Amino acid sequence: MKETGMVRRIDELGRVVIPKEIRRTLRLRVSDPLEIFTERDMLCFRKYSPVGSIVGFADGVCSSLSEMTGRLCLVTDTDRVLSARGAGARDYVGKNLLREATDVLSARRAVTFDETTDGNIKKVVEGFEYAFKNVFIVPSIAGGDLVGGVIMCGDERFKEKELPLVEMCADIISRQF
């Protein structure tokens, strides 16, 4: 556990302010759910990911989609990759999504980026130099809340039958909640 040197007091209603620097580093936004747990004499907060509770199921969906399309497929929560299948998949699991990708998910609509677009999202996660020629991002929405998304990446142009498969996988994941 990393010490920050920051100390905050509990107010009369039991609230504690999480410093802006920590919220920015951990990508915490207003209304993000936090999981609270204790460990010995420590109180711990962790950003809650409902998709994180079904990682095994998400792995299966991701694996099936990758096998059917032959492409790199990712299942994400709202800001990081939870499951990846396809070429180079293990390098993606646990990595943070680029801000542009999280913005697309937050917009709550499926978006395709290919050679005909301006190319804003060709890279998907932080820390990777490789840029794909084609990226398809589909949000998973459950009960009106964004819970994550499904992303398919590749260098060859997407086939018409592949896009509905990605949308179906995002819908299947959202129905788990």
Side-chain angles (χ1 to χ4, degrees):
M1 193 168 299
K2 183 178 176 184
E3 289 190 32
T4 64
M6 297 179 194
V7 175
R8 296 292 186 263
R9 296 199 182 279
I10 299 174
D11 72 8
E12 62 277 354
L13 296 176
R15 298 175 295 196
V16 176
V17 175
I18 300 171
K20 188 175 187 176
E21 302 82 21
I22 292 175
R23 293 192 317 262
R24 186 179 304 129
T25 301
L26 298 178
R27 297 175 132 187
L28 295 173
R29 295 178 293 265
V30 172
S31 81
D32 277 351
L34 295 176
E35 187 174 8
I36 303 167
F37 58 99
T38 60
E39 190 173 303
R40 294 187 210 127
D41 63 341
M42 291 187 292
L43 177 64
C44 303
F45 292 89
R46 177 173 46 203
K47 190 170 182 178
Y48 176 70
S49 170
V51 179
S53 65
I54 60 161
V55 169
F57 180 80
D59 282 341
V61 170
C62 195
S63 181
S64 295
L65 180 60
S66 180
E67 286 174 16
M68 290 188 320
T69 62
R71 299 183 187 272
L72 174 65
C73 298
L74 313 171
V75 173
T76 73
D77 62 12
T78 56
D79 58 8
R80 69 184 168 89
V81 177
L82 300 174
S83 178
R85 293 291 187 271
R90 80 180 98 173
D91 296 330
Y92 289 87
V93 176
K95 300 285 195 262
N96 288 331
L97 293 173
L98 286 174
R99 179 72 56 198
E100 293 87 351
T102 61
D103 290 345
V104 170
L105 290 174
S106 296
R108 297 169 178 246
R109 59 186 177 85
V111 178
T112 304
F113 294 93
D114 57 23
E115 55 270 357
T116 63
T117 62
D118 62 1
N120 280 345
I121 300 179
K122 299 295 184 156
K123 297 177 184 176
V124 179
V125 297
E126 293 177 350
F128 279 83
E129 292 304 314
Y130 186 76
F132 295 97
K133 291 181 181 171
N134 301 285
V135 175
F136 185 46
I137 302 174
V138 182
S140 290
I141 300 168
D145 292 329
L146 175 68
V147 294
V150 178
I151 302 174
M152 182 172 65
C153 310
D155 287 331
E156 295 176 20
R157 176 171 251 154
F158 294 137
K159 297 176 183 124
E160 208 170 303
K161 67 175 181 138
E162 293 175 323
L163 303 184
L165 290 173
V166 180
E167 291 172 331
M168 181 180 68
C169 288
D171 185 54
I172 289 169
I173 288 171
S174 68
R175 291 176 185 269
Q176 301 308 302
F177 302 100

